[in-house]
Amino acid sequence: MPRYKPEKKKKLAVVDELGFCQIFNAKSGELLFQETNANSVAFNTLYENMLAFSGNNTLSIKVMDFPAHTQKLSGFVVGLTGSKVFCLNGSNMNTMELPLSTPMYQYIDKKMYNEAYRVACLGVTQGDWEELAHSALEQLEFDMARLAFIKLQDFTYLELIQELLELQQKGDYPRDVIIGDIYAHKGKLKEAAKLYQKAGQEFKALTMYTDLRMFDEAQEYLGSNDNSDLIRRKADWARNINEHKAAADMYLSVGELKSAIEIYAEQGWIDQLIELGRRLDKSDRPSLLSIAQHLKTLNNSSAAAEIFRRLGDSAAVLQLYVEAKDWSQAFALVQNQPQYNAIVYVPYAQWLAESDKFVQAQKAFHKAGKSEEAFKVFFQLTDNAVDEYRFQDASYYYWVMSRQYLDLSKENNKQHYLQQFRINEKLAEIYYAYNNIHKYLEEPFTSFMPEALFNISRFLMIETTEKDQRVFLNLQSYIH
C-alpha cells in the first residue's frame, strides 16, 4: 500500500507553562483548537491533521477538532510517525505502536472517507479496513471503497463495484436500487428488499428471494399477476433438486404443459402421460402430439395411436402400426383409406424383401403404386436365379413380370408396357425351355425323349437369336 509523502507544514502547535496546547494556522495565525493538561506535543510526520500530546501520565491522539483518544503513558511524547509514537521517559526513548482505529472511525462517522483512508494507510487492523471498505461502498464512495477492497484483495466486491459504476453511468439506475444491490450482496436481504420496493422495483426483490429459494419471503413482493411466475420458479427449483413429481404438478398448475410433459417423458411415467393426454382438449394439438411422440418412444404404441385417432391423424396411426410391424392392423385401417397405401405397403414390401419373400414383396410394391421398385426386386431376383442356374425360377419371375406389365398396359393404355409384357413373356418361355436342356446336361437321368430335347433345342436356337445373348451363348457352348 503506497504511503503519502510528507506535506508542507501548515499548522503550528504551542504548549505554554500552564499546560495549554494550542493549534494555530501557520499562515494566518488563526487558533484552530486547544487542549489542556499538555506538556509536550508532536505532529504526525506523515499526516499533519493528526497530532499526539502528553501530560498527567496520559497520551492523547487527536485529528482535526474531533475529541482526543487517550491512553496511559509515562514520559513525554517527542515524535509521531505513522502509527509509531516516540516517548522520552527519563533517559530512555521508548517506541510504541498506536491504535489508529479511533481517528479513522471519527472520519467515517462524518463521512470523510478520503481522510479515513489516509489514516487507515498509516496502520489499522484488517477489520478496520473491512469497515472502511463497506461503509464507503454503502455511501456510494466507489473510489475509496475500491482502494480499500484492493487492500483487502476482495475481488468479488471489486467486480460488484465495477458493475455498479457501469449501471450508474447509464443514468437510469436509481440510488436506492444500487444500495439495494449492495445490501443484497452483503446478505442484508430485508434491507435490500425494502429499498427495491421503495424504488418501485419489487420484481428485483422477488427475483432475489426466488433465486435464493426463499419463496415465502418472495410472496410478499408479488404483483397482481406474478403468482404464476413464482410457481414457475418453484417448479424450476424442484426440478433441479430432482423433486420431479412436485415440479410437474406445479408446471401443470400454471399451464406449463411442455415442461410437465418433458418431466413425465424423462422419468418414463407412461400412466401420467396417458392421463394428461386424456384430460387435454383436441384444441391443444401441439401438447397432444408431443405426448403421443413420447409414448411412441416409450414403446406404448396403443396409447399413442389413441391420441392420433383423437386428432384425426390416420397417417400417424398407420405409421405407428408400420413401425411396430403390426401389418394386420395397418391393412385393416388402410382398407378404407387407399390414399395411404404407400405408407403401409412400401415398408411392408421392404420388410418382405428383407425376409427373402420377394414375390410377396413385388406384389406389395405394386399395391403401393411403386411399380419401379417392384420391378427392381424382380430384376434382382431374376439375375440371381440365372447366376445360380435356377432357370425354372427365372422363367417364373419373367412370367410374373409379364403379368404385371400386362395389367399396367390395361390401366395406362401405354404401348411401352405392352411391349415389355411381350418381351418378359417370351423370356419366361425361353428360360422354361432352357431349364430342361440344362437339367439334361447336368443330371444323369431325364424323362424327355431325345427327339423332344432336339426340338426344344431347335426352339431355343430360333428364339434366342439376338434376344437373350447370355442364353444363346450358353446354349451354343452345350451344342458344340
Side-chain angles (χ1 to χ4, degrees):
M1 179 62 62
R3 291 184 175 274
Y4 287 97
K5 296 180 180 179
E7 301 174 350
K8 183 178 180 181
K9 302 304 181 183
K10 298 178 182 179
K11 297 178 181 178
L12 176 65
V14 177
V15 177
D16 62 18
E17 67 277 4
L18 297 177
F20 281 98
C21 177
Q22 297 176 311
I23 310 300
F24 298 92
N25 185 307
K27 185 175 182 180
S28 64
E30 176 189 0
L31 177 64
L32 300 177
F33 59 86
Q34 64 181 7
E35 296 287 339
T36 60
N37 299 320
N39 55 26
S40 65
V41 64
F43 285 101
N44 196 315
T45 59
L46 300 180
Y47 182 58
E48 192 180 14
N49 285 337
M50 179 185 294
L51 58 81
F53 61 90
S54 58
N56 292 336
N57 294 321
T58 61
L59 172 66
S60 300
I61 304 297
K62 184 177 177 65
V63 292
M64 297 183 63
D65 57 350
F66 299 146
H69 173 66
T70 303
Q71 66 182 65
K72 291 289 186 180
L73 175 70
S74 298
F76 303 89
V77 61
V78 295
L80 177 61
T81 299
S83 61
K84 290 183 171 60
V85 62
F86 302 94
C87 300
L88 181 62
N89 187 11
S91 59
N92 295 324
M93 180 66 72
N94 298 323
T95 303
M96 297 175 55
E97 284 284 343
L98 289 178
L100 301 181
S101 301
T102 299
M104 186 197 76
Y105 284 109
Q106 289 174 328
Y107 280 129
I108 290 176
D109 290 341
K110 296 294 183 179
K111 296 182 175 51
M112 300 173 66
Y113 291 101
N114 187 56
E115 299 301 321
Y117 175 74
R118 294 189 66 179
V119 171
C121 288
L122 298 177
V124 295
T125 65
Q126 183 84 356
D128 294 334
W129 275 108
E130 291 176 357
E131 183 64 28
L132 171 61
H134 288 286
S135 178
L137 181 60
E138 291 179 12
Q139 294 299 318
L140 307 188
E141 293 284 345
F142 292 126
D143 290 339
M144 290 299 106
R146 185 173 59 82
L147 290 172
F149 283 118
I150 288 174
K151 171 65 171 64
L152 294 168
Q153 296 187 357
D154 192 328
F155 301 107
T156 301
Y157 274 99
L158 288 172
E159 290 178 1
L160 173 64
I161 290 171
Q162 183 62 35
E163 292 173 4
L164 294 176
L165 283 171
E166 292 174 358
L167 291 171
Q168 192 180 51
Q169 290 172 359
K170 293 180 180 179
D172 57 351
Y173 212 66
R175 177 185 176 87
D176 287 336
V177 176
I178 293 177
I179 298 176
D181 288 348
I182 294 170
Y183 282 164
H185 206 80
K186 294 178 68 174
K188 297 181 178 181
L189 304 182
K190 290 184 178 180
E191 294 88 339
K194 289 178 180 178
L195 286 171
Y196 292 144
Q197 190 175 42
K198 181 181 176 182
Q201 298 191 16
E202 289 88 349
F203 72 92
K204 287 186 67 69
L206 177 66
T207 301
M208 176 183 70
Y209 280 127
T210 51
D211 286 347
L212 295 172
R213 313 295 185 248
M214 300 171 68
F215 299 109
D216 293 336
E217 290 79 358
Q219 195 81 27
E220 300 177 16
Y221 299 93
L222 284 175
S224 58
N225 299 318
D226 287 336
N227 190 54
S228 60
D229 183 58
L230 179 60
I231 295 175
R232 191 178 297 105
R233 292 170 185 261
K234 280 186 178 181
D236 292 340
W237 172 66
R239 189 175 186 178
N240 289 335
I241 63 172
N242 297 324
E243 290 289 343
H244 301 295
K245 180 65 169 61
D249 291 344
M250 285 186 279
Y251 282 131
L252 289 175
S253 69
V254 294
E256 285 280 348
L257 297 178
K258 181 180 179 181
S259 298
I261 292 169
E262 287 176 354
I263 290 176
Y264 288 155
E266 289 169 1
Q267 301 305 311
W269 292 344
I270 294 176
D271 293 340
Q272 285 83 347
L273 284 170
I274 295 173
E275 181 186 356
L276 179 58
R278 289 171 178 170
R279 282 163 44 195
L280 294 178
D281 189 78
K282 287 194 296 184
S283 60
D284 196 351
R285 186 179 181 87
S287 296
L288 286 171
L289 285 174
S290 177
I291 292 172
Q293 290 297 333
H294 285 305
L295 287 171
K296 176 180 170 182
T297 302
L298 294 170
N299 298 319
N300 197 312
S301 300
S302 59
E306 177 186 336
I307 294 176
F308 285 130
R309 276 193 290 268
R310 280 182 59 197
L311 295 173
D313 194 342
S314 299
V317 176
L318 282 171
Q319 192 65 41
L320 280 173
Y321 290 142
V322 167
E323 291 179 5
K325 303 293 189 294
D326 192 349
W327 304 116
S328 59
Q329 291 282 2
F331 295 147
L333 183 59
V334 82
Q335 186 174 3
N336 298 322
Q337 301 182 70
Q339 68 271 27
Y340 298 125
N341 274 354
I343 295 178
V344 176
Y345 284 102
V346 170
Y348 177 60
Q350 292 170 343
W351 175 73
L352 289 171
E354 291 170 359
S355 305
D356 294 333
K357 299 177 180 179
F358 297 104
V359 176
Q360 296 96 316
Q362 190 265 354
K363 293 179 180 179
F365 275 125
H366 276 293
K367 189 75 173 177
K370 301 290 184 179
S371 298
E372 294 300 324
E373 285 82 352
F375 287 124
K376 285 180 181 178
V377 171
F378 265 89
F379 290 150
Q380 186 63 50
L381 285 173
T382 305
D383 285 343
N384 293 342
V386 172
D387 291 340
E388 296 169 7
Y389 304 113
R390 293 183 291 106
F391 300 110
Q392 187 168 352
D393 290 341
S395 172
Y396 173 70
Y397 296 146
Y398 277 124
W399 180 83
V400 172
M401 282 193 287
S402 72
R403 299 303 101 184
Q404 295 291 346
Y405 278 122
L406 181 61
D407 291 340
L408 289 173
S409 69
K410 293 177 181 179
E411 294 173 5
N412 300 283
N413 195 24
K414 289 185 177 181
Q415 192 67 24
H416 167 71
Y417 289 129
L418 186 59
Q419 183 180 3
Q420 290 295 326
F421 154 70
R422 292 169 179 164
I423 292 173
N424 281 275
E425 187 177 50
K426 181 59 68 177
L427 286 172
E429 295 173 356
I430 292 172
Y431 275 105
Y432 182 78
Y434 181 68
N435 179 64
N436 295 309
I437 299 298
H438 178 262
K439 289 173 66 177
Y440 168 72
L441 296 172
E442 296 292 328
E443 297 177 4
F445 302 103
T446 180
S447 60
F448 286 97
M449 296 296 291
E451 293 83 359
L453 291 173
F454 176 76
N455 287 321
I456 293 172
S457 299
R458 289 181 61 198
F459 166 78
L460 289 173
M461 285 289 294
I462 296 169
E463 294 296 330
T464 57
T465 303
E466 298 182 358
K467 288 185 178 180
D468 191 325
Q469 195 65 23
R470 177 167 45 187
V471 176
F472 176 74
L473 291 175
N474 288 336
L475 183 60
Q476 287 284 70
S477 65
Y478 286 127
I479 292 175
H480 291 298

